[in-house]
Amino acid sequence: MTDKDYRYQLENRRLTKKRVQKTTCPSCGHRKCFVRYVDTHNHFEYLSDEVGKCDHQHSCGYHYTPHDYFRDHQTQPLPLPSKRGERLPPPPPPRPLEPLAMELVVRSHSPRSTFWQWITTDCARRLGLSQQVLQRVYDNYLIGATRQSDVIFWQIDEQGRVRSGHIMQYGPDGHRLGYQGWAHVPLIRQGVLPLDWQLYQCLYGQHLLPLRRQARVCIVESEKTALIMAARHPDQLWLATGGSGGLSVEKLGCLRGRRVTLFPDSGCYRKWRDTMLQTDGISYTVTDLLEQYPPNTDLADLLLSAP
């Protein structure tokens, strides 16, 4: 355990004086079994939606700690409040954006991932998606695969700069398994990137904005949902935040002057609405379409559960 871990503790009633808000486990997919870490020095805010522990210790065992989170994202927690009269040293200036080589994206561009095999077979059959349309989605979003057949969702901005790749493991049924990581982490370990390399995330699919200047932009949470919706409704440009906490004013700056519709997962409507209220120059609608469904339901869930 590190100082970071002691500052961030698993949410509990004794600590926060309120009911614990359990969510869906990012590993096993069971609802209301996942307890997240809260920041004890910042109004008990959640660190991130994937940082926490699953109640199903034997059948699942997922436990992603704050230490793991800061290690994988190459970031540091906010400084602790200072004592009265004590001056904190100024934080170091942020490291400039250092994009990854596009060659990594090109080399990994492969349909071999278990996820993409599911998309082109079972998912395509259930939703009536043609292989021609799926090929276009595959090429547009530069779907990647690791040697272990995990999918790589590359985050590339509108200037073509590769921010990193979100690596996720899916089963043959299209459901997420336990592992997730980032393409830059092994590069840091190998010395290809400096130890203080900084990850600056962007929206998934953001590199398509200059190519679709007139298209309405639709934003969902997961990359999986963005790809399915891009195949089902190709007239719109589908982007993903990569998590319910991935929507930020900073990321949305690339959408000024665009028409945007946001589809937050059920339970996240107010959070996304409040974020959008802080933006300017974007003509947007935040829909509460999914609020009538169980927590963490998204558009792909609705499509795949339809008779």
Side-chain angles (χ1 to χ4, degrees), residues 110-121 144-146 148-152 168-175 177:
S110 167
R112 292 194 306 268
S113 70
T114 304
F115 167 80
W116 194 250
Q117 292 298 313
W118 171 77
I119 286 282
T120 55
T121 54
T146 69
Q148 293 75 33
S149 298
D150 299 330
V151 66
I152 308 177
M168 302 184 73
Q169 185 180 53
Y170 281 85
D173 58 358
H175 291 119
L177 301 179

Short mmCIF file of all heavy atoms in Angstrom, two decimals, residues 110-121 144-146 148-152 168-175 177:
data_model
loop_
_atom_site.label_atom_id
_atom_site.label_comp_id
_atom_site.label_asym_id
_atom_site.label_seq_id
_atom_site.Cartn_x
_atom_site.Cartn_y
_atom_site.Cartn_z
N SER A 110 -5.81 -5.05 -37.09
CA SER A 110 -6.05 -6.45 -37.39
C SER A 110 -7.43 -6.86 -36.90
O SER A 110 -7.89 -6.37 -35.87
CB SER A 110 -4.99 -7.32 -36.71
OG SER A 110 -5.36 -8.69 -36.72
N PRO A 111 -8.10 -7.76 -37.61
CA PRO A 111 -9.42 -8.26 -37.18
C PRO A 111 -9.31 -9.46 -36.25
O PRO A 111 -10.31 -10.12 -35.98
CB PRO A 111 -10.07 -8.65 -38.51
CG PRO A 111 -8.93 -9.12 -39.36
CD PRO A 111 -7.75 -8.26 -38.97
N ARG A 112 -8.11 -9.76 -35.75
CA ARG A 112 -7.90 -11.00 -35.00
C ARG A 112 -8.43 -10.97 -33.57
O ARG A 112 -8.45 -12.01 -32.92
CB ARG A 112 -6.41 -11.36 -34.96
CG ARG A 112 -5.80 -11.75 -36.30
CD ARG A 112 -4.43 -12.39 -36.10
NE ARG A 112 -3.55 -11.55 -35.30
CZ ARG A 112 -2.71 -10.67 -35.80
NH1 ARG A 112 -2.65 -10.50 -37.11
NH2 ARG A 112 -1.93 -9.96 -35.03
N SER A 113 -8.83 -9.81 -33.07
CA SER A 113 -9.27 -9.77 -31.68
C SER A 113 -10.57 -10.55 -31.50
O SER A 113 -11.40 -10.63 -32.41
CB SER A 113 -9.48 -8.32 -31.22
OG SER A 113 -10.61 -7.75 -31.86
N THR A 114 -10.72 -11.13 -30.32
CA THR A 114 -11.95 -11.86 -30.00
C THR A 114 -13.15 -10.95 -30.10
O THR A 114 -14.23 -11.36 -30.55
CB THR A 114 -11.86 -12.44 -28.57
OG1 THR A 114 -10.69 -13.25 -28.47
CG2 THR A 114 -13.08 -13.28 -28.23
N PHE A 115 -12.97 -9.68 -29.71
CA PHE A 115 -14.06 -8.70 -29.79
C PHE A 115 -14.53 -8.52 -31.23
O PHE A 115 -15.73 -8.58 -31.50
CB PHE A 115 -13.58 -7.37 -29.22
CG PHE A 115 -14.51 -6.21 -29.53
CD1 PHE A 115 -15.66 -6.02 -28.79
CD2 PHE A 115 -14.22 -5.34 -30.57
CE1 PHE A 115 -16.51 -4.96 -29.08
CE2 PHE A 115 -15.07 -4.29 -30.86
CZ PHE A 115 -16.22 -4.10 -30.12
N TRP A 116 -13.60 -8.29 -32.16
CA TRP A 116 -14.01 -8.02 -33.54
C TRP A 116 -14.57 -9.27 -34.21
O TRP A 116 -15.46 -9.18 -35.05
CB TRP A 116 -12.86 -7.43 -34.35
CG TRP A 116 -13.36 -6.85 -35.65
CD1 TRP A 116 -13.14 -7.31 -36.91
CD2 TRP A 116 -14.19 -5.69 -35.78
NE1 TRP A 116 -13.79 -6.53 -37.82
CE2 TRP A 116 -14.45 -5.52 -37.16
CE3 TRP A 116 -14.76 -4.79 -34.88
CZ2 TRP A 116 -15.24 -4.48 -37.66
CZ3 TRP A 116 -15.54 -3.76 -35.37
CH2 TRP A 116 -15.77 -3.61 -36.74
N GLN A 117 -14.09 -10.43 -33.81
CA GLN A 117 -14.68 -11.66 -34.33
C GLN A 117 -16.14 -11.78 -33.90
O GLN A 117 -16.98 -12.22 -34.68
CB GLN A 117 -13.87 -12.87 -33.82
CG GLN A 117 -12.47 -12.97 -34.39
CD GLN A 117 -12.47 -13.13 -35.92
OE1 GLN A 117 -13.21 -13.94 -36.46
NE2 GLN A 117 -11.64 -12.35 -36.60
N TRP A 118 -16.42 -11.38 -32.66
CA TRP A 118 -17.82 -11.39 -32.19
C TRP A 118 -18.66 -10.36 -32.97
O TRP A 118 -19.80 -10.65 -33.35
CB TRP A 118 -17.87 -11.09 -30.70
CG TRP A 118 -19.27 -10.88 -30.18
CD1 TRP A 118 -20.20 -11.83 -29.92
CD2 TRP A 118 -19.89 -9.61 -29.92
NE1 TRP A 118 -21.37 -11.26 -29.49
CE2 TRP A 118 -21.21 -9.88 -29.48
CE3 TRP A 118 -19.48 -8.29 -29.98
CZ2 TRP A 118 -22.10 -8.88 -29.11
CZ3 TRP A 118 -20.36 -7.28 -29.63
CH2 TRP A 118 -21.66 -7.58 -29.20
N ILE A 119 -18.10 -9.18 -33.19
CA ILE A 119 -18.83 -8.14 -33.92
C ILE A 119 -19.23 -8.63 -35.31
O ILE A 119 -20.36 -8.42 -35.77
CB ILE A 119 -17.96 -6.86 -34.05
CG1 ILE A 119 -17.89 -6.12 -32.71
CG2 ILE A 119 -18.51 -5.94 -35.14
CD1 ILE A 119 -19.12 -5.31 -32.36
N THR A 120 -18.32 -9.30 -36.01
CA THR A 120 -18.56 -9.68 -37.40
C THR A 120 -19.35 -10.98 -37.54
O THR A 120 -19.71 -11.35 -38.66
CB THR A 120 -17.23 -9.82 -38.16
OG1 THR A 120 -16.38 -10.74 -37.46
CG2 THR A 120 -16.53 -8.47 -38.25
N THR A 121 -19.60 -11.66 -36.43
CA THR A 121 -20.35 -12.93 -36.51
C THR A 121 -21.66 -12.81 -35.76
O THR A 121 -22.69 -12.47 -36.33
CB THR A 121 -19.50 -14.10 -35.97
OG1 THR A 121 -19.03 -13.79 -34.65
CG2 THR A 121 -18.32 -14.36 -36.88
N GLY A 144 -7.61 -2.31 -33.59
CA GLY A 144 -6.37 -3.04 -33.42
C GLY A 144 -6.55 -4.30 -32.61
O GLY A 144 -7.61 -4.56 -32.04
N ALA A 145 -5.52 -5.11 -32.57
CA ALA A 145 -5.53 -6.35 -31.80
C ALA A 145 -4.13 -6.62 -31.26
O ALA A 145 -3.13 -6.34 -31.93
CB ALA A 145 -6.00 -7.53 -32.66
N THR A 146 -4.07 -7.19 -30.06
CA THR A 146 -2.80 -7.60 -29.48
C THR A 146 -2.50 -9.04 -29.87
O THR A 146 -3.34 -9.73 -30.45
CB THR A 146 -2.83 -7.50 -27.94
OG1 THR A 146 -3.73 -8.50 -27.43
CG2 THR A 146 -3.31 -6.12 -27.50
N GLN A 148 -2.42 -11.37 -27.89
CA GLN A 148 -3.30 -12.19 -27.05
C GLN A 148 -4.75 -12.10 -27.49
O GLN A 148 -5.65 -12.57 -26.79
CB GLN A 148 -3.18 -11.76 -25.58
CG GLN A 148 -1.82 -12.04 -24.95
CD GLN A 148 -0.75 -11.06 -25.42
OE1 GLN A 148 -1.04 -9.89 -25.70
NE2 GLN A 148 0.48 -11.53 -25.54
N SER A 149 -5.01 -11.46 -28.64
CA SER A 149 -6.36 -11.31 -29.22
C SER A 149 -7.24 -10.36 -28.43
O SER A 149 -8.47 -10.44 -28.51
CB SER A 149 -7.05 -12.68 -29.35
OG SER A 149 -6.33 -13.52 -30.23
N ASP A 150 -6.63 -9.46 -27.64
CA ASP A 150 -7.40 -8.39 -27.01
C ASP A 150 -7.54 -7.25 -28.02
O ASP A 150 -6.68 -7.04 -28.87
CB ASP A 150 -6.70 -7.88 -25.75
CG ASP A 150 -6.53 -8.96 -24.70
OD1 ASP A 150 -7.39 -9.87 -24.67
OD2 ASP A 150 -5.56 -8.91 -23.93
N VAL A 151 -8.62 -6.51 -27.91
CA VAL A 151 -8.86 -5.42 -28.86
C VAL A 151 -8.14 -4.16 -28.40
O VAL A 151 -7.97 -3.93 -27.19
CB VAL A 151 -10.37 -5.15 -29.02
CG1 VAL A 151 -10.98 -4.62 -27.73
CG2 VAL A 151 -10.63 -4.20 -30.17
N ILE A 152 -7.68 -3.35 -29.34
CA ILE A 152 -7.08 -2.05 -29.03
C ILE A 152 -7.96 -0.96 -29.65
O ILE A 152 -8.15 -0.93 -30.86
CB ILE A 152 -5.65 -1.93 -29.60
CG1 ILE A 152 -4.78 -3.11 -29.16
CG2 ILE A 152 -5.02 -0.61 -29.13
CD1 ILE A 152 -3.38 -3.07 -29.75
N MET A 168 -8.58 -3.80 -24.26
CA MET A 168 -9.63 -4.44 -23.49
C MET A 168 -9.79 -5.89 -23.92
O MET A 168 -9.61 -6.22 -25.09
CB MET A 168 -10.95 -3.68 -23.64
CG MET A 168 -10.85 -2.23 -23.21
SD MET A 168 -12.42 -1.35 -23.28
CE MET A 168 -13.24 -2.09 -21.88
N GLN A 169 -10.15 -6.71 -22.96
CA GLN A 169 -10.32 -8.14 -23.21
C GLN A 169 -11.82 -8.47 -23.21
O GLN A 169 -12.55 -8.11 -22.29
CB GLN A 169 -9.62 -8.95 -22.11
CG GLN A 169 -9.63 -10.45 -22.33
CD GLN A 169 -8.92 -11.18 -21.20
OE1 GLN A 169 -9.23 -10.98 -20.03
NE2 GLN A 169 -7.97 -12.03 -21.54
N TYR A 170 -12.24 -9.13 -24.27
CA TYR A 170 -13.64 -9.55 -24.41
C TYR A 170 -13.70 -11.06 -24.59
O TYR A 170 -12.78 -11.68 -25.14
CB TYR A 170 -14.29 -8.88 -25.61
CG TYR A 170 -14.72 -7.45 -25.37
CD1 TYR A 170 -13.82 -6.40 -25.53
CD2 TYR A 170 -16.03 -7.14 -25.00
CE1 TYR A 170 -14.21 -5.08 -25.31
CE2 TYR A 170 -16.42 -5.83 -24.78
CZ TYR A 170 -15.51 -4.81 -24.93
OH TYR A 170 -15.90 -3.52 -24.71
N GLY A 171 -14.81 -11.64 -24.13
CA GLY A 171 -15.06 -13.05 -24.36
C GLY A 171 -15.73 -13.27 -25.69
O GLY A 171 -16.16 -12.32 -26.36
N PRO A 172 -15.88 -14.52 -26.12
CA PRO A 172 -16.53 -14.83 -27.40
C PRO A 172 -17.99 -14.40 -27.46
O PRO A 172 -18.56 -14.31 -28.55
CB PRO A 172 -16.42 -16.36 -27.49
CG PRO A 172 -15.30 -16.72 -26.57
CD PRO A 172 -15.35 -15.74 -25.46
N ASP A 173 -18.60 -14.11 -26.28
CA ASP A 173 -19.99 -13.68 -26.25
C ASP A 173 -20.14 -12.16 -26.32
O ASP A 173 -21.24 -11.63 -26.21
CB ASP A 173 -20.68 -14.20 -24.99
CG ASP A 173 -19.99 -13.74 -23.71
OD1 ASP A 173 -18.96 -13.05 -23.79
OD2 ASP A 173 -20.50 -14.09 -22.61
N GLY A 174 -19.03 -11.45 -26.47
CA GLY A 174 -19.08 -9.99 -26.57
C GLY A 174 -19.11 -9.27 -25.25
O GLY A 174 -19.25 -8.04 -25.22
N HIS A 175 -18.94 -9.99 -24.14
CA HIS A 175 -18.90 -9.37 -22.82
C HIS A 175 -17.46 -9.15 -22.38
O HIS A 175 -16.58 -9.97 -22.65
CB HIS A 175 -19.65 -10.23 -21.79
CG HIS A 175 -21.12 -10.26 -22.01
ND1 HIS A 175 -21.82 -11.43 -22.27
CD2 HIS A 175 -22.05 -9.27 -22.02
CE1 HIS A 175 -23.10 -11.17 -22.43
NE2 HIS A 175 -23.26 -9.86 -22.29
N LEU A 177 -14.16 -9.02 -20.17
CA LEU A 177 -13.52 -9.82 -19.14
C LEU A 177 -12.69 -8.88 -18.25
O LEU A 177 -12.81 -7.67 -18.33
CB LEU A 177 -12.67 -10.91 -19.78
CG LEU A 177 -13.45 -11.88 -20.70
CD1 LEU A 177 -12.51 -12.92 -21.31
CD2 LEU A 177 -14.58 -12.56 -19.94
#
